[in-house]
Amino acid sequence: MLVQVALPVPLYRVFDYRIPADVNAFSSGSIPKVGCRVEVPFGRQTLIGIVINHIASADSSVPSNKLKAIKRCLDDEPILNEKMLTLAHWLARYYHYPLGDVLSVMLPSLVRQGKPLDLLITHWRVLPQVTDDAFRANAKKQKQQFDMLKLHGERGASEDVLLLEGMQRSFLKTLEDKGLIERYIQKRSAPTPVSLAKMPLDLNEEQQQAVDAIIAAHEAEKYSGFLLNGITGSGKTEVYLQAMQAVLETGKQVLILVPEIGLTPQTRARFASRFAAQIVLLHSGMTNTYRLQGWQDCRTGHAQIIIGTRSSILYPFANLGLIVVDEAHDSSYKQQDTLRYHAADVALYRGLQDQIPVLLGTATPTLEHLKLVDDGKLIEYQLRTRPGNAKPAPMQLIDARLQTTHQQTQDDGARYDTGLTDKLIGAIKQTLEAGDQVLIFLNRRGYAPVLLCEACGWQADCPRCDAHLTVHYSSQNKQNAYLKCHHCDWQAYIPAVCPDCGSQNLDAKGMGTTRLSENLHAIFANPQTSKQTYPIIQIDRDTTRRKDSWENIYQRINEGKPAILVGTQMVAKGHHFPNVTLVCLPNADRGFLSADFRSPEHTAQLMIQVAGRAGRGDKAGRVLIQTLQPENELLLKLVKDGYLSFARSLLQERKMMGLPPFSHAALIRCEGKTLAATTQALKDAIAGLPASHNLAILGPIDAPMSKKNSRYHSQLLLLAKNRPQLHQVLNQWWPSVLLMPSAKYLKLTLDIDPVGW
Ligand code: ADP
Ligand code: ZN
Ligand code: ZN
């Protein structure tokens, strides 16, 4: 008998290996089972792979004298069961990705490296008799770190969790040496059944209907895909919680997928305050040991509620009973590299596989999901109101062409434009004076997006990308000024004179979050010019880089005092700021002008999500959209008729044009040293398509940002009327494309159901 092994190599095949003469050399004393890890020779290397199949020697295409033997079997029992292997095969087929590479994506890196699964994880806890007197007055930092650990109660927490929270290893050691804390190894025991920590809310009728339907699917042990289409603040989370309750009570696990950015400690807190349960968080910030522990906890059933980002949909679960995909429209669910899967699609597949309900929740469903509802593949439940007194905030346009922009005076007496209309400033002022908070959304970090020479028109561009360099600058710290490419991180000094014409007339054009915050500061937070000053809180990747910065920002906002929040799309996702009553979008509607046919959909989703931050508490909210194109039909439709009606008309348009979701797309990208080479390679690829392919072919064209990081990109789009047709062509054709001579020095990738091109 032979063993077929999937190896982490980019080849569309598995490999046959002999079993060594002395099987007893394996600790199990038997042939490695399907789903176990084995170590095998591969060329001159030794690789770790997964046993996929047992076959008879006669069925192998490799001559028996060429067959090599397995070196070592790492597991006595399979680490991936049949279901997980079926999932791997499906992913490999659907996304046309090599099986061995699919398995690499699915497994935590320590598992791939052959580490034992049962980790002994160090935990730390405060010794019971220790009091606060143990600290000298000047040992502030020690005391602070000690308090962080103390917050975790008598069982303490694992070292990884503590480090993630900002604890420093050296302090753990110091506190241990002083006899204040101790380390111990925690053994995993079977979790106690989940119980309610807090009473559920009384549901309104629409919520109740949704919960009933999900519970009915759960009780019938049947797959059902649900679209919970509820306006922002309509209580979708309460629906999740009550559906979860029924599932958890039967001893099953619940997986909740969340977009990356929304994963703050608040997310966990919402579930932890309702259920006394083993809750596991899975996200990209985890260390390798923590990730392996999480993977094991899911696989053994120790974890009862799993909250995770995209990749947790590929985890093994002992007995999953429900999958919730929160903010299901979010583009972070699509993996943009290697195995380009969409977590919501994989969730639906796994629901079908396990015969369990899958719940997609969002206020702004994608056109794909709306089409699935029309086709009867998803069951839609709508939540049209907010509970209690909260009303959805009305949206209003401000015509920036008719309004004067607010001007401020600089220290040297010069006047400058704030980029905000007087009308908008007036509304902000009114809101602050009423004691409320304002959120201003600007999807661009840094000081300004362009540095321009007023004399000759020169602009500071990235030498490696088709992109302008962003100006980073702050008037408080003028030394710290530089240019940076947001695509490849290239940095440069700000030149004193124009490199083309020598003029000193260089000007930062346009507005990023830093500049907007400074402008607002001059108007609302300058004690010299205004009686009342208000804090300006900037929320973007630059201000939230540190581990605890989100926490600090959250705390400042939740104090509830009047303030202005200035944020990028980080603020759009799922946050609950009850005191925000005014949301301003000074230039969010630009996306309606983009050439990408998906741009209107994504722009509208973002605008509605940001708008949804207004009026979530008891007070009514409003949304002001400042625009230079108040007659834009898409914008008017969105503001007047709301997202659903807007999305429906986009769907009609897609239908007429035969674009997804009314056709099925595959995007081929080619990356290389010149555009000539990448374009030629795609032309060669087209020439190799089977004569009867029947697909619509768009391209090759230069990719939207064709030069990035000094590499050039071309692309090719294939559209098929139906899925089988697309896959049939790709099955034969794609492996042959990868074997073209030029594929040796070019990078060719395939993206099934791409979300942008
Ligand atoms: P969504 O996720 O749809 O944006 P949330 O779940 O955050 O909305 O709910 C918004 C607010 O409404 C929360 O404070 C929540 O506690 C409250 N809420 C939800 N359902 C109910 C209900 N049935 N009765 C009272 N309050 C509710
Ligand atoms: Zn110049
Ligand atoms: Zn660049």
Side-chain angles (χ1 to χ4, degrees):
M1 195 196 276
L2 300 178
V3 172
Q4 287 194 315
V5 180
L7 292 171
V9 291
L11 296 170
Y12 287 83
R13 50 166 298 193
V14 291
F15 300 87
D16 299 350
Y17 286 91
R18 268 191 304 116
I19 293 154
D22 183 12
V23 169
N24 289 323
F26 299 150
S27 68
S28 62
S30 63
I31 297 167
K33 293 178 184 160
V34 169
C36 288
R37 290 173 297 173
V38 287
E39 209 175 80
V40 296
F42 186 79
R44 281 191 216 155
Q45 323 167 51
T46 299
L47 295 178
I48 293 173
I50 302 284
V51 177
I52 291 301
N53 207 359
H54 294 158
I55 58 165
S57 306
D59 292 339
S60 177
S61 55
V62 185
S64 59
N65 59 348
K66 288 261 169 79
L67 282 168
K68 291 183 185 160
I70 290 171
K71 282 189 168 168
R72 201 157 71 95
C73 177
L74 278 64
D75 305 297
D76 295 345
E77 291 304 319
I79 62 161
L80 291 175
N81 62 19
E82 217 180 291
K83 251 186 203 162
M84 287 304 284
L85 291 174
T86 307
L87 172 65
H89 280 291
W90 177 77
L91 288 165
R93 267 200 321 273
Y94 189 88
Y95 293 106
H96 298 266
Y97 205 66
L99 182 63
D101 281 342
V102 168
L103 288 163
S104 286
V105 174
M106 290 171 74
L107 297 171
S109 62
L110 293 179
V111 176
R112 294 200 302 268
Q113 290 162 22
K115 294 279 171 2
L117 300 188
D118 285 314
L119 286 183
L120 297 176
I121 289 207
T122 304
H123 279 60
W124 291 90
R125 63 185 163 203
V126 168
L127 285 164
Q129 67 280 10
V130 177
T131 62
D132 290 355
D133 307 335
F135 295 92
R136 276 179 286 121
N138 58 2
K140 267 208 186 121
K141 181 85 194 195
Q142 273 183 30
K143 174 77 169 56
Q144 185 219 341
Q145 298 258 311
F146 175 81
D147 286 342
M148 267 166 75
L149 177 55
K150 210 171 154 188
L151 278 179
H152 286 275
E154 59 185 39
R155 279 161 59 189
S158 72
E159 185 163 307
D160 281 81
V161 167
L162 293 170
L163 295 178
L164 214 61
E165 287 177 357
M167 197 89 149
Q168 288 164 25
R169 215 178 238 124
S170 57
F171 276 97
L172 287 170
K173 189 83 184 60
T174 315
L175 293 170
E176 183 186 35
D177 290 346
K178 291 194 156 179
L180 304 174
I181 67 174
E182 67 172 358
R183 60 175 101 199
Y184 71 105
I185 302 289
Q186 197 193 39
K187 281 249 156 37
R188 288 293 196 230
S189 49
T192 45
V194 175
S195 61
L196 271 184
K198 206 165 91 189
M199 284 308 286
L201 301 173
D202 287 331
L203 298 177
N204 66 31
E205 214 176 290
E206 288 183 326
Q207 285 176 315
Q208 190 68 55
Q209 281 174 3
V211 170
D212 288 347
I214 301 158
I215 294 180
H218 161 67
E219 284 173 348
E221 299 185 11
K222 279 267 163 6
Y223 162 73
S224 274
F226 295 99
L227 177 68
L228 183 64
N229 178 0
I231 60 166
T232 52
S234 57
K236 292 185 285 295
T237 312
E238 191 59 33
V239 172
Y240 306 160
L241 287 166
Q242 299 204 19
M244 286 168 69
Q245 186 183 333
V247 174
L248 292 165
E249 275 168 0
T250 59
K252 294 201 158 187
Q253 299 167 295
V254 175
L255 170 65
I256 302 143
L257 294 180
V258 294
E260 183 73 70
I261 304 294
L263 230 176
T264 61
Q266 277 69 25
T267 317
R268 183 202 180 100
R270 277 188 98 169
F271 296 95
S273 67
R274 178 67 56 88
F275 301 109
Q278 289 292 340
I279 302 181
V280 166
L281 280 185
L282 305 171
H283 56 94
S284 61
M286 292 182 293
T287 59
N288 285 339
T289 36
Y290 190 67
R291 191 182 305 273
L292 173 53
Q293 178 76 70
W295 191 79
Q296 267 294 73
D297 285 345
C298 293
R299 201 174 79 94
T300 58
H302 181 81
Q304 293 165 316
I305 298 174
I306 301 97
I307 306 171
T309 49
R310 182 181 59 222
S311 61
S312 20
I313 197 59
L314 304 179
Y315 274 51
F317 297 98
N319 58 350
L320 197 57
L322 171 68
I323 306 173
V324 175
V325 184
D326 191 23
E327 312 286 357
H329 63 277
D330 198 286
S331 53
S332 70
Y333 287 127
K334 171 78 173 173
Q335 167 69 276
Q336 298 288 12
D337 199 9
T338 66
L339 176 65
R340 293 171 161 77
Y341 65 97
H342 196 296
D345 291 337
V346 181
L348 293 173
Y349 175 83
R350 292 197 74 168
L352 188 65
Q353 200 183 23
D354 286 1
Q355 289 294 309
I356 58 170
V358 178
L359 179 57
L360 311 180
T362 174
T364 50
T366 62
L367 301 190
E368 277 72 14
H369 291 155
L370 289 176
K371 169 97 175 3
L372 288 178
V373 170
D374 293 347
D375 293 348
K377 292 180 181 153
L378 284 178
I379 306 161
E380 183 184 33
Y381 281 88
Q382 290 199 17
L383 307 180
R384 281 168 270 229
T385 57
R386 287 183 175 179
N389 293 329
K391 292 267 174 306
M395 295 197 279
Q396 201 187 326
L397 291 181
I398 295 181
D399 187 344
R401 299 168 314 175
L402 301 180
Q403 291 282 324
T404 46
T405 32
H406 187 81
Q407 304 237 320
Q408 279 290 119
T409 312
Q410 245 162 249
D411 294 346
D412 59 9
R415 303 278 284 166
Y416 68 96
D417 227 331
T418 57
L420 303 170
T421 54
D422 276 329
K423 194 161 175 188
L424 204 61
I425 298 282
I428 295 171
K429 192 150 182 254
Q430 204 181 23
T431 308
L432 294 169
E433 281 168 359
D436 296 343
Q437 296 175 339
V438 179
L439 171 67
I440 306 181
F441 171 71
L442 185 66
N443 208 5
R444 198 186 265 153
R445 68 196 167 88
Y447 187 77
V450 186
L451 183 70
L452 174 82
C453 170
E454 298 279 10
C456 76
W458 170 86
Q459 298 180 339
D461 287 332
C462 177
R464 302 196 294 202
C465 305
D466 281 338
H468 297 313
L469 294 170
T470 300
V471 183
H472 283 259
Y473 166 85
S474 96
S475 26
Q476 272 136 37
N477 184 4
K478 292 197 171 127
Q479 307 308 318
N480 188 24
Y482 57 97
L483 298 168
K484 182 170 181 171
C485 174
H486 284 185
H487 303 280
C488 75
D489 288 343
W490 168 274
Q491 287 201 22
Y493 289 113
I494 296 181
V497 297
C498 170
D500 270 11
C501 75
S503 160
Q504 293 188 345
N505 213 350
L506 293 178
D507 206 5
K509 284 280 174 212
M511 191 152 67
T513 43
T514 309
R515 186 177 219 171
L516 178 57
S517 299
E518 285 194 3
N519 289 353
L520 290 163
H521 204 272
I523 308 169
F524 293 107
N526 184 353
Q528 269 134 36
T529 52
S530 41
K531 289 189 291 270
Q532 178 72 317
T533 64
Y534 302 96
I536 318 283
I537 306 173
Q538 189 182 333
I539 310 164
D540 56 30
R541 263 207 281 152
D542 296 319
T543 62
T544 57
R545 222 175 283 268
R546 286 189 31 204
K547 265 181 193 152
D548 53 352
S549 39
W550 244 125
E551 272 304 277
N552 291 337
I553 287 175
Y554 242 100
Q555 255 174 27
R556 284 178 70 193
I557 297 173
N558 284 340
E559 278 171 19
K561 297 203 191 98
I564 304 178
L565 327 180
V566 175
T568 56
Q569 61 177 338
M570 282 184 91
V571 299
K573 298 186 181 179
H575 301 295
H576 192 59
F577 305 129
N579 287 311
V580 168
T581 59
L582 174 65
V583 167
C584 306
L585 300 103
N587 66 3
D589 54 328
R590 284 191 190 185
F592 288 141
L593 298 174
S594 160
D596 179 354
F597 79 90
R598 280 183 206 263
S599 190
E601 180 190 354
H602 291 160
T603 304
Q605 285 168 350
L606 194 54
M607 288 175 69
I608 295 293
Q609 294 290 339
V610 179
R613 303 309 114 207
R616 291 171 69 93
D618 291 332
K619 292 186 240 175
R622 60 181 178 142
V623 180
L624 295 176
I625 301 168
Q626 178 176 301
T627 179
L628 284 169
Q629 34 159 352
E631 276 125 37
N632 183 303
E633 275 175 37
L634 288 168
L635 179 61
L636 284 174
K637 176 122 192 102
L638 181 66
V639 170
K640 266 209 245 127
D641 303 338
Y643 178 80
L644 270 191
S645 165
F646 170 89
R648 286 276 164 206
S649 65
L650 282 187
L651 205 54
Q652 271 305 317
E653 233 172 75
R654 298 262 185 100
K655 187 173 185 177
M656 270 158 44
M657 298 172 69
L659 287 168
F662 295 93
S663 56
H664 303 276
L667 182 67
I668 289 104
R669 290 194 187 88
C670 183
E671 179 188 316
K673 279 190 194 153
T674 65
L675 274 179
T678 55
T679 310
Q680 187 55 47
L682 291 179
K683 281 187 184 155
D684 295 345
I686 295 175
L689 274 168
S692 60
H693 65 70
N694 226 342
L695 305 178
I697 302 176
L698 283 77
I701 56 164
D702 300 350
M705 214 175 77
S706 62
K707 182 182 172 198
K708 194 168 167 184
N709 219 344
S710 301
R711 305 275 292 168
Y712 290 85
H713 302 81
S714 304
Q715 63 186 38
L716 179 67
L717 184 68
L718 306 181
L719 289 175
K721 289 235 166 55
N722 58 55
R723 250 180 220 297
Q725 188 193 11
L726 181 67
H727 287 294
Q728 215 173 12
V729 172
L730 290 173
N731 279 338
Q732 305 173 9
W733 176 70
W734 181 242
S736 76
V737 171
L738 293 179
L739 290 175
M740 298 189 318
S742 56
K744 285 205 177 64
Y745 54 89
L746 297 169
K747 186 177 163 196
L748 283 150
T749 57
L750 171 62
D751 188 350
I752 302 290
D753 307 331
V755 292
W757 60 72

